[in-house]
Amino acid sequence: MSGSLPPGTFIRLDETAAELGVSVTPVREALLKLRGEGMVQLEPHRGHVVRPLTPQDIDDIFWLQATIARELAATATDHITEAEIEELHRINESLAAAVSTGDAETVAGLEFAFHRVFNQASGRIKLAWFLLNAVRYMPVLVYAADPQWGVAAVDNHRKLIAALRRRDTPEVIEHTVWQFTDAARRLIEMRDRAGSFG
């Protein structure tokens, strides 16, 4: 998704396993899964090659994520407790501190924690599980390492929390969907600058 492996790049089992510090078995299994998802293809006698990812592919992936998140947000607005809202506030303030220090790993962890609390507040655990599986396509550390994204995310979270306090469902949905449209836009722009669309 990040474009670090451009379309047409061959992924070598031995090299990848050595780079990741694992045996070839988990690499082979991961490539098989990626093949099933259309991210790589197997070329006989040559190995696995990265397939192109278009701006439309990115829009589709993030549209799906936003569509699921919209449903969770609407329900969470009605069901979230004051304690959960305070937990979101606490996590977001920790996120702001992590963004200011540039600690991408901590930023990624706190961003995940924020959305976990928010999505679980909906009580729609199966739908939250589907969203979790859909967002695995997001190159989280790419975003987490971008201070501009971090500042924008913290600001949007603050607006989301304020809307939750007012139980303003349309505004909660607006700030929830923004996160996905913003992420898609940033990813498309980044890949375009890097010439990763092939």
Side-chain angles (χ1 to χ4, degrees):
M1 285 293 286
S2 70
S4 59
L5 294 176
T9 302
F10 279 91
I11 302 172
R12 308 284 179 221
L13 286 175
D14 292 340
E15 292 172 13
T16 304
E19 185 179 315
L20 297 173
V22 298
S23 72
V24 295
T25 301
V27 174
R28 186 179 294 114
E29 290 171 0
L31 287 170
L32 182 63
K33 188 170 188 175
L34 289 171
R35 209 168 104 206
E37 295 171 359
M39 301 298 272
V40 300
Q41 68 186 34
L42 179 61
E43 294 199 359
H45 310 295
R46 298 189 68 201
H48 288 87
V49 64
V50 176
R51 294 192 62 186
L53 186 68
T54 68
Q56 185 63 59
D57 293 331
I58 292 172
D59 280 341
D60 290 345
I61 290 167
F62 283 89
W63 171 85
L64 174 64
Q65 295 169 1
T67 300
I68 297 170
R70 177 189 308 268
E71 287 297 312
L72 291 169
T75 309
T77 305
D78 293 335
H79 294 93
I80 197 164
T81 66
E82 289 301 321
E84 288 167 327
I85 293 172
E86 286 307 314
E87 178 67 3
L88 290 175
H89 174 74
R90 185 195 64 73
I91 292 169
N92 197 47
E93 292 310 303
S94 297
L95 178 61
V99 166
S100 70
T101 64
D103 181 354
E105 292 282 340
T106 301
V107 167
L110 289 167
E111 179 70 5
F112 177 81
F114 182 93
H115 291 285
R116 184 169 191 261
V117 169
F118 179 57
N119 292 333
Q120 287 186 341
S122 72
R124 297 175 75 177
I125 302 307
K126 297 297 185 213
L127 195 57
W129 179 85
F130 278 110
L131 180 59
L132 178 62
N133 279 285
V135 298
R136 66 191 166 97
Y137 287 101
M138 291 179 101
V140 179
L141 287 176
V142 168
Y143 296 115
D146 178 355
Q148 291 177 333
W149 172 86
V151 169
V154 168
D155 180 58
N156 188 66
H157 289 170
R158 287 181 177 140
K159 292 173 183 171
L160 175 65
I161 291 166
L164 284 168
R165 290 187 197 284
R166 293 190 307 275
R167 306 293 176 173
D168 185 337
T169 303
E171 194 174 336
V172 170
I173 290 171
E174 175 188 334
H175 292 300
T176 299
V177 170
W178 174 88
Q179 295 170 15
F180 295 97
T181 55
D182 177 70
R185 178 189 57 80
R186 288 175 190 270
L187 185 59
I188 289 169
E189 288 173 359
M190 181 196 72
R191 288 180 59 104
D192 196 40
R193 282 192 306 271
S196 298
F197 285 119

